[in-house]
Amino acid sequence: MKKINVSAPGKLMLLGEHAVVYKYPCIVTAVNQRMHVRVEKTKDTLIAVNAGQVGIKNYKKDIEDIGKGDIVKELKFIEIGLKNFKEKYGLPCGLKITTKSDFSSKFGFGSSSAVCVCLIYALGELFNLNLSKRKLFEICYKTVLDVQKVGSGFDVASAIWGGTIYYILGGKKIIPLKTKSVPIVVGYTGIKADTPTLVRVVEEKYKKNKKLITSIFSLIESLVIEARKRIENKNWERLGFLMNVNQGLLDSLGVGSVEISNLVYAARKAGAYGAKLSGAGGGDCIVALTNIKYRKKVEDEIKKAGGIILKVRTGENGVRTD
Ligand code: MEV
């Protein structure tokens, strides 16, 4: 095989963000907006990258220099991913890598982890390595930590496994839930959140108020454990309630914002079962659990409150060859 096209899904955190960094569980779903990566073997010793979605054209670096010297910010996940792959399996030839995304990197759908998962999966296929999901996870999660220093790895797991999963830090547990999709409306606040900064906001609070914040994490843990069952039983009313409680607890961790609250309250007022931020907070998206009857109204009210509706399906397939 000389070239391969692969894709991996973006993700949305449904419940448990931030607490997951402290070893508590979370639930994440894969969406139908995907990252696409084509990898071609070449006869030279260069890694050539075109990544239109982050404005990178015709970037070239010798295989020898991968992971050394200046690393272009937009290509960190690709270059460090390649470095980690090369250290484990070697890189016997040059590569032409082209990436294209269905979604903006501003949404918080996990474009960096999806691109890394696509790349390593593609290399595994190109070089016939038969990489298991676990092996793929290990190398991609290491890359996330090398680049970002923080992160639970839930986004990497979602890009690999797809569907809706119950996840514990470092991939200690990755359990696919028995559900096809969760009926949510997604509203984008228009503000890009910086995950490492927000993780540090919570860390500061945790260091100063260990007992109190640990109690908040424990509450999040109980509601995530219950939510797992509610999702499988399609008990949306109760799940909506759990999402609202989760939102209150996230607010108390200091990761809410006026823009998030405006969209959350608009969705609830329009009849959503529940609504909360999704991901790091500070901006990005909200998810509103909604039955079909109120869907249009929820979308309209989110728009009126300043949000942008992102049309997504949940529970989509993980990384695959296209
Ligand atoms: C960010 O999308 C979710 C956090 O829990 C960080 C992480 O789990 O890596 C805040």
Side-chain angles (χ1 to χ4, degrees), residues 19-262:
V20 66
V21 177
Y22 297 77
K23 303 193 182 154
Y24 299 90
C26 74
I27 297 176
V28 54
T29 192
V31 297
N32 62 331
Q33 300 209 9
R34 301 179 76 84
M35 177 66 68
H36 305 266
V37 176
R38 165 197 284 248
V39 186
E40 296 176 52
K41 289 183 189 168
T42 60
K43 294 214 166 83
D44 52 32
T45 60
L46 293 175
I47 302 296
V49 187
N50 279 289
Q53 85 278 8
V54 285
I56 300 288
K57 264 192 184 164
N58 262 325
Y59 174 84
K60 288 198 174 102
K61 199 163 185 177
D62 204 276
I63 294 175
E64 273 299 300
D65 301 326
I66 284 298
K68 297 180 196 154
D70 285 342
I71 299 179
V72 179
K73 193 171 121 247
E74 290 79 3
L75 297 182
K76 271 192 179 163
F77 283 85
I78 292 187
E79 183 156 349
I80 302 298
L82 281 170
K83 173 180 169 270
N84 287 335
F85 181 88
K86 186 178 152 207
E87 277 170 10
K88 246 187 145 78
Y89 304 105
L91 258 185
C93 63
L95 299 169
K96 190 173 164 201
I97 301 166
T98 313
T99 72
K100 190 174 141 287
S101 181
D102 293 340
F103 57 89
S104 160
S105 59
K106 289 188 229 150
F107 296 163
F109 278 8
S111 53
S112 311
S113 40
V115 97
C116 183
V117 164
C118 283
L119 175 66
I120 308 301
Y121 176 80
L123 294 176
E125 294 293 297
L126 272 182
F127 298 117
N128 295 317
L129 295 174
N130 238 329
L131 288 184
S132 65
K133 283 183 173 156
R134 275 280 160 195
K135 273 261 152 348
L136 184 58
F137 176 83
E138 271 167 32
I139 194 159
C140 294
Y141 183 42
K142 176 177 184 332
T143 303
V144 168
L145 289 181
D146 288 349
V147 175
Q148 274 189 184
K149 312 289 174 251
V150 293
S152 64
F154 79 102
D155 41 3
V156 174
S158 176
I160 297 173
W161 270 262
T164 301
I165 56 174
Y166 177 89
Y167 178 87
I168 294 186
L169 183 74
K172 194 166 165 228
K173 272 196 184 153
I174 302 173
I175 303 174
L177 301 197
K178 290 184 208 81
T179 174
K180 273 218 160 70
S181 65
V182 181
I184 51 168
V185 168
V186 181
Y188 176 51
T189 58
I191 296 161
K192 165 99 188 91
D194 182 52
T195 300
T197 306
L198 286 146
V199 169
R200 268 174 223 122
V201 165
V202 176
E203 192 184 347
E204 278 304 305
K205 279 223 162 55
Y206 175 72
K207 277 189 194 150
K208 288 193 190 129
N209 314 276
K210 264 203 178 130
K211 224 172 140 194
L212 190 69
I213 303 292
T214 302
S215 311
I216 293 174
F217 287 154
S218 298
L219 286 172
I220 294 177
E221 176 184 38
S222 349
L223 69 85
V224 169
I225 290 171
E226 183 183 338
R228 180 180 164 185
K229 288 187 226 140
R230 303 304 178 192
I231 289 174
E232 295 197 317
N233 300 335
K234 294 194 171 58
N235 187 338
W236 304 134
E237 202 162 334
R238 179 72 187 175
L239 181 66
F241 166 74
L242 296 172
M243 286 168 69
N244 287 341
V245 175
N246 197 169
Q247 172 62 20
L249 295 169
L250 284 162
D251 251 334
S252 69
L253 292 176
V255 296
S257 74
V258 175
E259 293 78 6
I260 290 170
S261 289
N262 286 343

Side-chain angles (χ1 to χ4, degrees), residues 17 19 219 257 273 276:
E17 49 273 269
L219 286 172
S257 74
Y273 293 118
K276 63 179 279 294

